[in-house]
Amino acid sequence: MENETIRYCQSCGMPLTKPEDLGTEADGTANDEYCTYCYRDGHFTWDCTMEEMIEQCAQFHDQFKDESGRSFTREEAVAAMRAYFPMLKRWQR
């Protein structure tokens, strides 16, 4: 995956930069749309709303960085996810 454009999980927005980041189908093959935390063995690991996913991801706000490398505050991360998540495949239903 090194030479490709970075893809993002279509459920939580996590960067999919390594093969081990990828979710799996029921037959064990990699799914390149979802991360291993959101999608495993051919189904979503958690039946949740978009808002519940945002709240779950918000605990990792210090890993979200702006262009200068500064970590987002929890409030900034939540606002960014509320703007971004509706564009992800899982939440467009």
Side-chain angles (χ1 to χ4, degrees), residues 10-78:
Q10 293 297 299
S11 175
C12 72
M14 180 180 116
L16 303 173
T17 58
K18 303 177 295 240
E20 57 268 23
D21 293 338
L22 300 176
T24 57
E25 297 296 347
D27 65 2
T29 58
N31 177 294
D32 65 356
E33 292 187 317
Y34 298 103
C35 75
T36 188
Y37 302 109
C38 291
Y39 194 80
R40 201 173 304 139
D41 300 323
H43 57 82
F44 290 110
T45 59
W46 186 30
D47 183 24
C48 63
T49 65
M50 184 179 73
E51 191 60 31
E52 288 170 329
M53 180 63 75
I54 289 169
E55 286 302 314
Q56 175 68 20
C57 294
Q59 68 182 319
F60 304 105
H61 68 87
D62 59 330
Q63 295 178 26
F64 300 13
K65 310 269 188 217
D66 66 15
E67 298 81 27
S68 69
R70 180 187 65 83
S71 292
F72 282 30
T73 66
R74 185 183 190 290
E75 294 75 20
E76 289 170 332
V78 167

Side-chain angles (χ1 to χ4, degrees), residues 81-92:
M81 287 184 282
R82 284 187 178 140
Y84 179 61
F85 277 27
M87 295 184 280
L88 298 175
K89 183 177 179 178
R90 183 175 185 184
W91 310 117
Q92 291 183 356

